[in-house]
Amino acid sequence: MATARFYHLTRDPVEALLPQLIGKAQEIGLKVALRGVDRGRMEALDRLLWLGEGFLPHGMAGGPHDGDQPCLLVWTAEAVEVLPNRPGCLVTLDGAEIGAEEAQAVDRLCVVFDGMDETAVARARDQWRALTGAGVAAEYWSRESGRWECKAKHPK
């Protein structure tokens, strides 16, 4: 079961953090599902991930090679267990759904939210309460000091 890591973005956009999160998961041999809520947003991230620094192989869900993708970009709430690439890491954006069952099905879970958006912060708090209430360990990560640090933990 994964510990839910909540990343509170206040300095940089999500586009700056995603390559780090995806890259670290891939370094330890995990396939990734990057889940958003809007296809257009995921298409924009798809373009950005191809053009960014380094090489992060990935693909949009719905293609003929979904099962082979090291990182699959999705915008529906399909359970990770049924995703063709069988991810060991789930990264959620923009308040995308995440349940305790999924936290149990992956090795790594990252919930990324925009700290400058009150609605996003409220949604992340709701997700924290739901996951920890279901027995999932959680960590709150912030970059207040200029580098990412774990600021709070909620044990199982």
Side-chain angles (χ1 to χ4, degrees):
M1 176 190 297
T3 295
R5 296 176 179 150
F6 285 75
Y7 289 90
H8 187 166
L9 298 174
T10 55
R11 291 174 173 252
D12 298 312
V14 68
E15 293 83 359
L17 179 60
L18 285 180
Q20 294 174 44
L21 294 178
I22 294 167
K24 286 184 182 195
Q26 290 178 345
E27 282 175 16
I28 61 171
L30 297 177
K31 288 188 176 185
V32 178
L34 176 60
R35 180 186 292 158
V37 296
D38 177 73
R39 181 184 178 112
R41 165 93 153 128
M42 300 312 287
E43 288 172 345
L45 289 173
D46 173 50
R47 288 186 296 276
L48 178 119
L49 289 172
W50 283 120
L51 298 174
E53 264 186 55
F55 179 67
L56 286 173
H58 68 281
M60 294 286 292
H65 304 289
D66 285 1
D68 299 324
Q69 296 298 338
C71 179
L72 189 62
L73 281 63
V74 299
W75 53 93
T76 62
E78 281 184 278
V80 291
E81 300 91 351
V82 301
L83 290 175
N85 74 333
R86 313 241 351 129
C89 174
L90 174 61
V91 179
T92 66
L93 309 172
D94 304 329
E97 291 294 323
I98 176 66
E101 316 79 39
E102 287 186 303
Q104 294 170 355
V106 294
D107 297 314
R108 184 171 283 193
L109 170 61
C110 304
V111 179
V112 181
F113 65 99
D114 181 351
M116 307 311 282
D117 179 340
E118 294 284 330
T119 303
V121 171
R123 175 72 174 138
R125 287 181 179 142
D126 289 344
Q127 290 177 313
W128 174 283
R129 283 190 291 274
L131 289 170
T132 58
V136 176
E139 296 176 350
Y140 168 77
W141 289 77
S142 170
R143 212 175 141 202
E144 287 175 8
S145 68
R147 66 182 186 92
W148 285 104
E149 294 180 287
C150 181
K151 298 290 191 173
K153 292 185 179 190
H154 186 283
K156 292 199 251 187

